[in-house]
Amino acid sequence: AQKITQTQPGMFVQEKEAVTLDCTYDTSDPSYGLFWYKQPSSGEMIFLIYQGSYDQQNATEGRYSLNFQKARKSANLVISASQLGDSAMYFCAMREVNQAGTALIFGKGTTLSVSS
Amino acid sequence: DAGVTQSPTHLIKTRGQQVTLRCSPKSGHDTVSWYQQALGQGPQFIFQYYEEEERQRGNFPDRFSGHQFPNYSSELNVNALLLGDSALYLCASSLHRDRGRHWGNTEAFFGQGTRLTVV
């Protein structure tokens, strides 16, 4: 069963507008972490923001915020005031912690295109 | 402070050959994970190394093996290469924390990847 679902293959936004990238997850573990990464065409995965399952407040990092709705198992990324440099692939990931390790499980990603 | 470094950046191999990819973790990190990212897909977890042992493994065949050295650097080896092994291979480093403790934001830092093409 897919544990991370990103239903938007592509999103288009104008410069300076806000955009929301959707992510839903599935886990039975009460302790987990949710991540968003940006992957430009160069290939490197750039960490953007993290939300722990026990965190009371939604995470924010500059122009990035995470809209965490635990009951709905969603962790949407909100990018405010989009910039041309935000054009990239965005991945939502979940970290499950088991006895052995802490692998990240990724969604299929959303391609964001920002136009001027 | 050097981040995660991977070598080589690009590689072309022939079916049936063997390949070794290398990764140096971020300074202060002791855990290395490897991921395979096929074109247009999200990364898939291959395995994770900590204290020079494979601690966790994803759904990959035994052709995929690895090693971690005392300085925490790691290698990924793939034997008997198939066309389907063509992908971007990403290395991620992190700091190991026991599950019983609050481990907070132990995000994985990724390298720039090695793009492997099997022909």
Side-chain angles (χ1 to χ4, degrees):
Chain A
Q2 194 169 4
K3 296 201 171 185
I4 294 286
T5 303
Q6 294 182 254
T7 57
Q8 307 155 314
M11 289 288 285
F12 298 86
V13 67
Q14 291 268 338
E15 212 175 354
K16 300 180 184 178
E17 291 183 347
V19 62
T20 298
L21 306 183
D22 294 342
C23 173
T24 58
Y25 60 92
D26 183 29
T27 181
S28 57
D29 194 329
S31 180
Y32 53 90
L34 295 159
F35 300 78
W36 277 92
Y37 284 89
K38 172 184 178 182
Q39 188 178 43
S41 56
S42 61
E44 183 179 0
M45 298 288 280
I46 302 168
F47 167 74
L48 296 178
I49 196 167
Y50 165 84
Q51 181 85 42
S53 58
Y54 295 119
D55 293 342
Q56 296 296 317
Q57 294 189 336
N58 286 345
T60 60
E61 290 285 350
R63 295 186 298 110
Y64 305 107
S65 61
L66 201 153
N67 183 3
F68 183 45
Q69 298 188 43
K70 197 169 182 177
R72 302 175 75 173
K73 294 189 174 180
S74 74
N76 298 338
L77 176 70
V78 180
I79 305 175
S80 63
S82 298
Q83 302 172 356
L84 294 178
D86 293 335
S87 293
M89 193 78 164
Y90 288 79
F91 290 96
C92 178
M94 178 172 64
R95 179 184 60 215
E96 288 188 324
V97 179
N98 56 40
Q99 293 292 334
T102 57
L104 286 173
I105 301 165
F106 285 83
K108 292 187 176 182
T110 296
T111 301
L112 176 65
S113 300
V114 182
S115 59
S116 56
Chain B
D1 179 24
V4 181
T5 58
Q6 292 186 242
S7 63
T9 54
H10 293 83
L11 204 52
I12 299 175
K13 288 286 190 178
T14 304
R15 269 184 304 174
Q17 284 188 316
Q18 179 264 345
V19 68
T20 298
L21 311 182
R22 296 176 176 82
C23 172
S24 292
K26 178 179 168 62
S27 177
H29 283 183
D30 57 9
T31 301
V32 174
S33 303
W34 287 91
Y35 293 82
Q36 180 195 65
Q37 185 178 18
L39 197 62
Q41 300 294 316
Q44 298 288 318
F45 174 73
I46 303 175
F47 43 54
Q48 183 178 84
Y49 277 84
Y50 169 66
E51 290 185 326
E52 302 179 47
E53 290 186 11
E54 183 182 294
R55 299 289 178 163
Q56 189 179 9
R57 188 179 183 92
N59 188 25
F60 279 80
D62 292 343
R63 297 187 298 109
F64 290 78
S65 63
H67 188 77
Q68 186 179 35
F69 299 93
N71 66 353
Y72 308 121
S73 67
S74 176
E75 287 181 350
L76 163 65
N77 300 294
V78 186
N79 294 322
L81 283 167
L82 303 174
L83 295 180
D85 295 331
S86 296
L88 179 68
Y89 288 83
L90 293 163
C91 168
S93 77
S94 56
L95 183 63
H96 176 82
R97 295 192 189 191
D98 295 330
R99 181 182 182 153
R101 297 160 52 193
H102 175 63
W103 31 268
N105 184 4
T106 56
E107 75 271 17
F109 289 87
F110 283 81
Q112 80 282 9
T114 294
R115 195 167 295 279
L116 173 65
T117 302
V118 182
V119 297

